[in-house]
Amino acid sequence: MRTNCSSHFRAVVEALFVTVLWSTSWMLIKLGLKDIPPLTFAGLRYTLAFVCLLPLALRKPQRASLRRLPARTWGRLTLLGLLLYTVTQGAQFLSLAYLPATTSSLILSFTTILVALLGIGLLNERPTPLQWGGTLLYLVGIWIYFSPTSLSGGAGFGLLAAGVCLLGNALASLLGRHVNRDETLDPMTVTVVSMGAGAPVLLIIGLLTQGLPRLTVADWGILLWLAVVNSALAFTLWNRTLRTLSAMESSILNNTMLFQIALLAWLFLGERLTWAQGLGMALAMLGTFVVQAQKHSPK
């Protein structure tokens, strides 16, 4: 019992550490976007992360696992990589180029609810009345958050990009659940194969449409930190925590990023929240917690 408690506590600490790393990513992305175009930036980050993880995938046990993968699984992992990295991450970087970090993260937090709604048709999972109530609470929070805000024309494109990011993230979550539910795959294999499928495509799109600017030493420092620490290390740690933490626990810990990003954006980017926006964000997060907790509660 003591061993189980200690391993669970360690998993919680590691998961919180990962959320802090991912929250700082939003600040670093905002800084890097001053010099690097968004699609090129995202492509460089995840391609470099894939290169860092590739030696782990080429170890003897991992090579044997890769050779045993059927063609159908390769197809699913490729599609997962295109959704998760090419579409979702590309759109996220685009949204951050036009929106405050807090606004973009707030929209992305709707993923939990959208997954529940899409699961009605795709997974035959119907939301409960409490989940519908949580969805309504989230929408009320969003309305309060945006009602005092005047958006410029550029912000309109940012909202569109954030919407694409939201949809891509939700579909990737559903496909990721399907892959891990139907296939016995090592988390490292899922990460490396999907990242290797999606990241280079994103990089090519970025280079063809936005080019590669002249990068400063600071730009390379941001890129390497995001790739090595906030992507390669963070994704590996997160996959390890999923062996211990339940889906509900992981989701709640991951949702704490919204508050972390709001605090970091206030401290380092000068993004301030009004009382109304703070109330709207709190209601939206409460709605996601209600939906997620009800979704994974035991029958």
Side-chain angles (χ1 to χ4, degrees), residues 113-152:
I113 296 176
L114 186 58
V115 167
L117 296 178
L118 291 176
I120 296 175
L122 299 178
L123 298 176
N124 197 26
E125 298 176 353
R126 298 198 172 276
T128 64
L130 188 58
Q131 286 179 303
W132 287 116
T135 302
L136 179 61
L137 187 60
Y138 178 91
L139 295 176
V140 171
I142 288 292
W143 180 79
I144 294 175
Y145 180 90
F146 283 106
S147 59
T149 305
S150 58
L151 296 175
S152 62

Side-chain angles (χ1 to χ4, degrees), residues 144-217:
I144 294 175
Y145 180 90
F146 283 106
S147 59
T149 305
S150 58
L151 296 175
S152 62
F157 179 79
L159 289 174
L160 176 62
V164 173
C165 176
L166 168 64
L167 181 59
N169 195 41
L171 293 175
S173 298
L174 290 169
L175 180 58
R177 180 188 304 175
H178 179 68
V179 167
N180 287 287
R181 181 179 64 181
D182 294 347
E183 307 289 346
T184 306
L185 294 175
D186 180 79
M188 179 62 67
T189 300
V190 175
T191 302
V192 172
V193 175
S194 60
M195 191 178 289
V201 175
L202 178 58
L203 178 58
I204 292 172
I205 293 174
L207 293 176
L208 291 178
T209 59
Q210 299 178 338
L212 178 64
R214 189 172 184 177
L215 302 179
T216 65
V217 175

Side-chain angles (χ1 to χ4, degrees), residues 82-120:
L82 293 174
L83 282 173
L84 183 57
Y85 298 102
T86 309
V87 176
T88 301
Q89 296 303 322
Q92 177 182 315
F93 275 64
L94 280 173
S95 71
L96 285 172
Y98 295 94
L99 294 176
T102 304
T103 302
S104 184
S105 65
L106 177 62
I107 296 173
L108 189 59
S109 69
F110 189 69
T111 298
T112 298
I113 296 176
L114 186 58
V115 167
L117 296 178
L118 291 176
I120 296 175

Side-chain angles (χ1 to χ4, degrees), residues 100 102-103 145 149 262 265-267 269-275 277-278:
T102 304
T103 302
Y145 180 90
T149 305
W266 173 62
L267 290 174
L269 300 178
E271 297 181 6
R272 299 185 181 277
L273 291 175
T274 65
W275 285 106
Q277 288 176 317

